[in-house]
Amino acid sequence: MSDERSNQTRVGVIMGSDSDLGVMLDAVRALKQLGVGWEINALSAHRTPHRVAEYVEGLEGRGVQIIIAGAGGAAHLPGVIAALTPLPVIGVPIKSTATDGLDSLLSIVQMPPGVPVATVGINAARNAGILAAQILGTGDPEVRDRVRAYKKELGTSVESRNAKLMERVEKEL
Ligand code: RP5
């Protein structure tokens, strides 16, 4: 698998705070596994709004094609980014302490008509990375083949666990 660091950066991973990093690393792990070039930043829609706008406005010129944005609580970062760019935005609701992430989920998913954010599950940053690779795969057969191989592995692992299921049941009875 090619080293994604030597690749052109195609996915911008961004989060509202460095406290989101533990979750957002799963997106980077997926991109790395699928050989997609990435970059990562922590910038806040509320605390650094002008920096967010400046960052987003520079993305297209640098060849970035998709943004994965994670935020928690009043999670406006993915929506603000979607308002500023025609590039697709995948939102990752970070599990907050106050409401277990329901506030983050609803803040990200309930966008007004015309400004969609493709929202994954609470803390589901890995799925965001996979979805970004799948979107890129529509125009890049190499990435698509890596996603295909990954999905095949997923199926193989389910088959092998299924084969051991009866053994486990018998131990329990
Ligand atoms: C959000 O507020 C961030 O995305 C983070 O999930 C949450 C808390 O941020 P910190 O106070 O930890 O910086 O904007």
Side-chain angles (χ1 to χ4, degrees), residues 15-20 44 46-47 70-74 94:
M15 66 208 94
S17 166
D18 62 346
S19 65
D20 301 327
S44 164
H46 302 123
R47 295 165 176 157
I94 304 289

Side-chain angles (χ1 to χ4, degrees), residues 1 10 26 52 56 67 71 77 80 90 121 125 141 145:
M1 187 170 293
R10 299 175 76 183
D26 282 342
V52 168
V56 173
I67 298 116
L77 182 66
V80 163
I90 303 173
D145 283 348

Side-chain angles (χ1 to χ4, degrees), residues 8-28:
Q8 155 76 33
T9 296
R10 299 175 76 183
V11 178
V13 178
I14 182 166
M15 66 208 94
S17 166
D18 62 346
S19 65
D20 301 327
L21 182 62
V23 172
M24 295 305 287
L25 276 176
D26 282 342
V28 176

Side-chain angles (χ1 to χ4, degrees), residues 104-123:
S104 321
L105 173 65
L106 296 178
S107 301
I108 294 176
V109 79
Q110 292 293 353
M111 288 296 291
V115 192
V117 170
T119 309
V120 295
I122 296 167
N123 277 1

